[in-house]
Amino acid sequence: MADYIYTMEIRLTPDQLKGVGLVQDVARAAGMNLYLTGGAIRDIISGFSIRDLDFTVQGNPLKLQKDFEKAGAKIAAVEEDIRTIFLSLPGNARAEVSMARTERFEKTGKPPIVMPATIHEDLRRRDFTVNAMALSLNEGSRGLLLDPFNGVADLETKTIRILHNYSFLEDPSRLIRATRFAARFHWPLEERTQARYDAAKEGKYIDHILRSSIGHEIAALAHEDDPLNVVKMLEKEGWLQILHDRWTVAKVDTNGLSALMKTRQQMVDLGYTPDAGPAVMYFLTSHFSDKDVSDIQKLIPRKDLVEAWRDIEDHAKELAKRLMGKEAATPSRTWQLLSSARPEMVLFLAVTAKQQSVEQKIKNYLTKWRQVQQKLPLPEMTELLITPQLPIYPKLAHDVFMLLLDGKLRSRTETLKYLKPFAPPPPPPPPAPRRGRAAKAAADAAAAAATAAQAAKLGPKGKKGKAVPPAPAAPAPAVAKPEPKAKPSQKSKPAPKPAKKPAPKPPKKKTKKK
Ligand code: ATP
């Protein structure tokens, strides 16, 4: 049986995994059953990147707001009618916690009647089979996958399938969702789903889409890995205009968007996790008027996304100004400034900087300067016992890197000269072997074993003539004299001047005792 908890643990980012722990602790303390649901399960199983964590609780999550805040999450938005809270978890992880519910659609174009329900009932109100799975995070059933519509099978065949014939009629936003997923995953709609989709399109069901669903679908674009492709498909299907009547691909700064996604990938490869959402929205709406942008922003439920999008240009200007000032007068200072800036701002400025010097500094930060890190003489440092186990190591490595960046250490020799005073004293020698009768007994036993091994090697006749004498017992090592302590002390201190003292001698060679 598949171990979905293990798969979850290896597929989530460390921040997302911590987020699961946080939500789990809060739900458990409140005595609410908790499930990881929807797109998160789909992406965990299928291997796609996991954009956000969708949780479902049996109970009302709105009651947990204070507990989530106490645990370190920020409340990004609340939707009272469907009892859902949107969380920003530490480290750029996004989550949504919803009440398990049923939705009864009584009138086309009107919001459904929402009732609390069990997780099983909740899965029945979902859009597609691949999104209608839940993973239990509860004691006793942790790791159990609920998959009433055989979503795993559809994941295997890469198929998008609705749960019932009225799906698009009940909620026409599912037409947009179907197109978005088809564009993202390059999966086709299952045959009957396609037929229902075509009928819904022809019947103009989309005219009944709820305003709140439009906001959700706009926000979803912000987190696509290839937003341009999705927007093109939405335009082709006629859905982009539903999101905003003047929205076309011509409103998109396609060059800016491509550069953004490329730089984002570059940063991800370097280990950063920038939230590109606000910048994606900026480029998707670049050629809109301020009024249109503001109208679109009003529809988006997550206010943190809207605020970050609104402030993005001002924050980028601020960072650009600092990058042109004294604070970034040297490569090392620039490095420090950019390392402490939010990765999303570095990302945005990398593709929008107007000043060549700013552009160049960010480019160096993301490429050339990283290669300087390779100049740390690691083998020699290991010989000097300057290894990551030393408490001073991170600071020392950082200081050397900064000096290398600024050209203050120009060669391997200079770098080693700088490092030598920090070498710790060699470790004490191992204790001398036992002497007297115990040692003799051990030596005799070793000799007997060696003789037996040799005899076995030579075969019954000992063809090679004389047996090889047994290996001598291990000699007692000469007691190494402790080296004088290296100066300066191992405590973190500002970077010292290059060493004047001769380097501490390497430990004396062990002499064999005869
Ligand atoms: P993404 O990867 O874009 O975040 P997602 O599947 O996680 O996609 P969300 O909009 O975050 O989509 O919604 C979470 C889950 O809620 C979905 O996976 C689906 O189960 C359910 N859901 C969302 N919108 C609808 C809808 N319009 N009708 C039915 N179920 C929906």
Side-chain angles (χ1 to χ4, degrees):
M1 211 176 86
D3 183 348
Y4 291 109
I5 293 290
Y6 175 74
T7 316
M8 173 185 85
E9 285 171 355
I10 56 168
R11 293 277 297 105
L12 296 182
T13 65
D15 288 330
Q16 286 175 326
L17 201 55
K18 275 188 218 145
V20 170
L22 185 153
V23 174
Q24 202 174 272
D25 290 347
V26 170
R28 198 167 283 175
M32 286 188 198
N33 278 341
L34 174 74
Y35 301 85
L36 191 62
T37 45
I41 297 297
R42 176 198 67 219
D43 295 338
I44 284 171
I45 298 176
S46 61
F48 284 97
S49 63
I50 300 139
R51 273 143 259 271
D52 57 0
L53 301 167
D54 311 308
F55 295 97
T56 304
V57 285
Q58 289 184 166
N60 182 359
L62 303 193
K63 287 186 189 161
L64 306 179
Q65 289 182 64
K66 286 219 169 84
D67 300 326
F68 279 127
E69 280 175 330
K70 261 192 224 152
K74 280 194 198 125
I75 312 288
V78 175
E79 287 200 1
E80 303 263 348
D81 48 348
I82 51 170
R83 286 181 226 148
T84 295
I85 45 180
F86 296 86
L87 300 176
S88 286
L89 298 165
N92 273 349
R94 283 172 291 115
E96 189 179 316
V97 188
S98 309
M99 173 187 76
R101 63 185 193 266
T102 52
E103 290 181 347
R104 215 172 63 235
F105 292 85
E106 294 210 318
K107 234 178 162 189
T108 317
K110 289 271 174 260
I113 295 165
V114 169
M115 299 285 282
T118 64
I119 185 68
H120 295 273
E121 288 164 324
D122 178 280
L123 293 179
R124 270 186 241 141
R125 60 126 191 125
R126 307 245 166 188
D127 49 2
F128 308 110
T129 56
V130 291
N131 287 345
M133 293 181 271
L135 181 67
S136 168
L137 297 176
N138 305 303
E139 271 170 11
S141 61
R142 199 163 190 274
L144 181 73
L145 185 77
L146 308 179
D147 180 15
F149 298 97
N150 221 351
V152 170
D154 282 340
L155 278 183
E156 274 165 19
T157 54
K158 305 183 189 318
T159 313
I160 299 169
R161 186 195 305 265
I162 44 174
L163 306 192
H164 54 80
N165 283 337
Y166 302 101
S167 188
F168 293 129
L169 180 64
E170 281 185 347
D171 181 353
S173 75
R174 292 172 190 163
L175 293 164
I176 302 179
R177 295 175 66 79
T179 305
R180 187 158 61 77
F181 292 132
R184 183 198 298 171
F185 299 125
H186 306 283
W187 294 350
L189 302 191
E190 169 270 338
E191 214 179 307
R192 283 175 59 179
T193 302
Q194 183 69 56
R196 292 283 150 197
Y197 177 97
D198 294 339
K201 210 171 150 187
E202 213 178 303
K204 297 200 182 327
Y205 292 5
I206 201 69
D207 293 347
H208 303 293
I209 189 172
L210 296 174
R211 216 178 129 78
S212 57
S213 302
I214 294 179
H216 277 291
E217 290 311 306
I218 294 174
L221 295 177
H223 305 293
E224 289 293 340
D225 283 341
D226 187 356
L228 188 57
N229 175 44
V230 173
V231 164
K232 280 182 180 166
M233 280 282 271
L234 291 181
E235 183 176 50
K236 189 166 159 259
E237 291 298 299
W239 309 140
L240 196 56
Q241 261 191 303
I242 301 297
L243 299 183
H244 188 281
D245 54 4
R246 278 189 288 283
W247 213 339
T248 62
V249 173
K251 296 279 185 214
V252 179
D253 175 352
T254 48
N255 290 339
L257 192 57
S258 305
L260 180 84
M261 299 324 275
K262 217 167 126 198
T263 309
R264 175 184 168 265
Q265 190 53 50
Q266 188 185 359
M267 291 183 72
V268 168
D269 293 344
L270 291 172
Y272 297 97
T273 48
D275 175 5
V280 168
M281 293 314 297
Y282 173 90
F283 288 114
L284 282 178
T285 56
S286 283
H287 304 305
F288 266 126
S289 69
D290 289 350
K291 160 91 176 57
D292 285 343
V293 169
S294 155
D295 287 346
I296 291 175
Q297 288 173 338
K298 276 184 206 139
L299 291 167
I300 294 179
R302 281 194 79 123
K303 295 305 158 212
D304 55 347
L305 170 61
V306 175
E307 266 164 39
W309 174 10
R310 262 187 210 139
D311 297 342
I312 199 163
E313 279 186 293
D314 289 345
H315 286 170
K317 268 186 207 152
E318 241 168 70
L319 183 58
K321 207 169 145 198
R322 291 175 70 191
L323 280 167
M324 288 187 298
K326 269 193 188 157
E327 225 181 323
T330 59
S332 66
R333 295 177 78 176
T334 310
W335 177 277
Q336 270 156 329
L337 175 56
L338 286 169
S339 304
S340 60
R342 281 188 297 128
E344 26 279 333
M345 289 324 303
V346 176
L347 168 63
F348 183 68
L349 196 54
V351 289
T352 57
K354 299 210 169 50
Q355 309 81 353
Q356 221 193 338
S357 65
V358 172
E359 198 185 332
Q360 192 56 46
K361 281 178 179 173
I362 299 182
K363 205 167 161 199
N364 288 343
Y365 174 69
L366 295 177
T367 55
K368 196 172 126 192
W369 290 345
R370 279 164 208 267
Q371 285 152 20
V372 174
Q373 266 166 335
Q374 315 294 324
K375 288 194 186 160
L376 278 182
L378 294 179
E380 290 89 340
M381 284 167 76
T382 311
E383 265 171 38
L384 288 171
L385 305 178
I386 300 179
T387 59
Q389 285 76 35
L390 278 188
I392 196 183
Y393 185 88
K395 182 176 183 317
L396 194 52
H398 177 263
D399 289 349
V400 171
F401 175 45
M402 295 294 109
L403 292 167
L404 284 165
L405 269 186
D406 289 344
K408 292 186 178 159
L409 292 176
R410 278 162 306 169
S411 65
R412 222 173 173 77
T413 322
E414 274 185 30
T415 308
L416 283 171
K417 202 170 158 199
Y418 175 86
L419 282 168
K420 270 181 186 163
F422 295 98
R434 289 167 298 174
R435 292 176 187 279
R437 258 200 275 163
K440 191 172 178 305
D444 290 348
T451 314
Q454 190 63 31
K457 235 181 172 178
L458 294 172
K461 292 199 171 164
K463 270 190 184 162
K464 289 200 174 161
K466 276 188 202 168
V468 178
V479 180
K481 236 170 110 191
E483 294 290 338
K485 261 203 167 180
K487 273 184 182 177
S489 83
Q490 309 302 307
K491 277 186 199 152
S492 309
K493 273 190 180 174
K497 288 179 194 136
K500 281 188 191 135
K501 267 187 77 170
K505 283 176 198 156
K508 274 185 188 168
K509 274 212 173 144
K510 293 167 185 174
T511 52
K512 270 192 186 173
K513 207 177 179 190
K514 301 227 167 118

